[in-house]
Amino acid sequence: GEDVEQSLFLSVREGDSSVINCTYTDSSSTYLYWYKQEPGAGLQLLTYIFSNMDMKQDQRLTVLLNKKDKHLSLRIADTQTGDSAIYFCAERGGGADGLTFGKGTHLIIQP
Amino acid sequence: DTAVSQTPKYLVTQMGNDKSIKCEQNLGHDTMYWYKQDSKKFLKIMFSYNNKELIINETVPNRFSPKSPDKAHLNLHINSLELGDSAVYFCASSHYETGGAYEQYFGPGTRLTVT
C-alpha cells in the first residue's frame, strides 16, 4: 500500500535554513504536496510539485524531488518563529482520490 | 470570505449518539473530502466525493456516511458514536481536472469529543 514517511521533529535556530525530508512508496504518485498546520488551525497548502519536476522554488521555500529514490524535501530559508508548525508531506496517485499524508514533522525554532 | 467552512467547530457528545458535521465550500470545486486527524496528529482520508463517484477508505466503519445535498456541501453523519471516534475532522475541496494538481483546500476542522 501507499506509505509516506517523515521524521517527527526538527529543531533549528532562528535565521538558519530548515530542511524537512519525506519519503514515499507509491511510484504512481503524480503530485506531491507540502502542507503547514499551526496549533489549533487547519492545513494550509504551502506548495506542490509535479512528479516530472525535480525542483520548485517559491520565495523562501524550495522543494526538491528525487523521483528515483522517492525522496521529497522542503527547505525553508531564513527560518522565523512564525514558521513554527507541523509540516505534512502528502502524495496523490491519480483521479479524485484523497491525499496520503505523512505523520508530520514538528518544526521547532530555537532563538 | 471563508473558502471551506465547517460547523460546528467543537462537538462534545456521549457514546451511542448520532451526530452530523457540516461542510461548505464557496470555491466552485467539484470534489470534496473528509479526513480524520487523531490525537497524534496523524491524518487519514476517509472519503472523497464528486458528482460522479464516492471513494471510501476501506478502514472507515460504516457508521460514518457522507451526504452531499449539492456540489458545495458534503456533510458527515456518524451513527452510534464511540470513544475512538474522538478526533479532529477536516473537510477539504478541490477541482477535478485531468492532469491537474487537485490542490486541496482545507476547512478549519471540527474537534469531536465523545464521552
Side-chain angles (χ1 to χ4, degrees):
Chain A
E2 302 158 359
D3 199 15
V4 179
E5 297 286 342
Q6 300 176 242
S7 299
L8 288 183
F9 295 95
L10 175 66
S11 178
V12 297
R13 290 185 187 277
E14 192 175 357
D16 287 352
S17 292
S18 305
V19 180
I20 302 170
N21 294 302
C22 168
T23 58
Y24 60 98
T25 58
D26 187 355
S27 57
S28 68
S29 295
T30 53
Y31 282 90
L32 296 127
Y33 308 80
W34 284 103
Y35 281 85
K36 176 183 181 183
Q37 185 178 33
E38 296 183 44
L43 281 86
Q44 174 194 355
L45 176 63
L46 286 178
T47 186
Y48 61 88
I49 188 167
F50 187 44
S51 57
N52 70 354
M53 297 171 63
D54 47 29
M55 187 180 91
K56 181 177 181 181
Q57 188 153 5
D58 183 2
Q59 300 182 337
R60 291 192 299 125
L61 304 179
T62 303
V63 179
L64 295 178
L65 174 61
N66 181 327
K67 193 174 180 181
K68 174 176 168 287
D69 295 339
K70 299 190 184 69
H71 181 268
L72 181 74
S73 67
L74 174 70
R75 178 177 179 269
I76 306 172
D78 187 24
T79 309
Q80 302 298 309
T81 54
D83 296 324
S84 180
I86 304 174
Y87 291 80
F88 291 93
C89 170
E91 63 91 22
R92 181 180 68 80
D97 293 354
L99 301 176
T100 300
F101 283 88
K103 292 179 178 174
T105 298
H106 295 240
L107 180 61
I108 300 162
I109 316 300
Q110 299 173 19
Chain B
D1 281 345
T2 304
V4 183
S5 59
Q6 297 179 226
T7 54
K9 189 169 173 63
Y10 300 96
L11 179 56
V12 181
T13 188
Q14 291 184 326
M15 285 175 55
N17 285 349
D18 303 338
K19 289 293 178 185
S20 294
I21 305 172
K22 295 186 177 182
C23 177
E24 176 181 2
Q25 53 93 6
N26 62 6
L27 297 167
H29 288 165
D30 48 26
T31 305
M32 297 182 73
Y33 311 80
W34 278 104
Y35 289 84
K36 178 181 179 181
Q37 186 175 43
D38 65 21
S39 59
K40 294 182 179 178
K41 304 294 187 185
F42 301 158
L43 272 158
K44 290 281 190 183
I45 180 70
M46 300 176 71
F47 305 100
S48 66
Y49 181 80
N50 64 23
N51 59 359
K52 293 174 186 166
E53 64 179 331
L54 169 66
I55 301 172
I56 302 171
N57 184 322
E58 65 273 9
T59 65
V60 175
N62 58 15
R63 298 181 294 104
F64 290 78
S65 58
K67 291 199 169 40
S68 179
D70 55 58
K71 280 173 61 173
H73 297 84
L74 183 66
N75 303 325
L76 182 65
H77 295 268
I78 316 169
N79 294 327
S80 302
L81 278 154
E82 299 177 359
L83 292 177
D85 298 332
S86 295
V88 180
Y89 292 85
F90 286 101
C91 176
S93 72
S94 70
H95 174 57
Y96 183 85
E97 179 182 9
T98 302
Y102 298 87
E103 300 153 60
Q104 291 188 21
Y105 294 90
F106 282 73
T110 295
R111 182 174 294 277
L112 171 66
T113 303
V114 182
T115 61

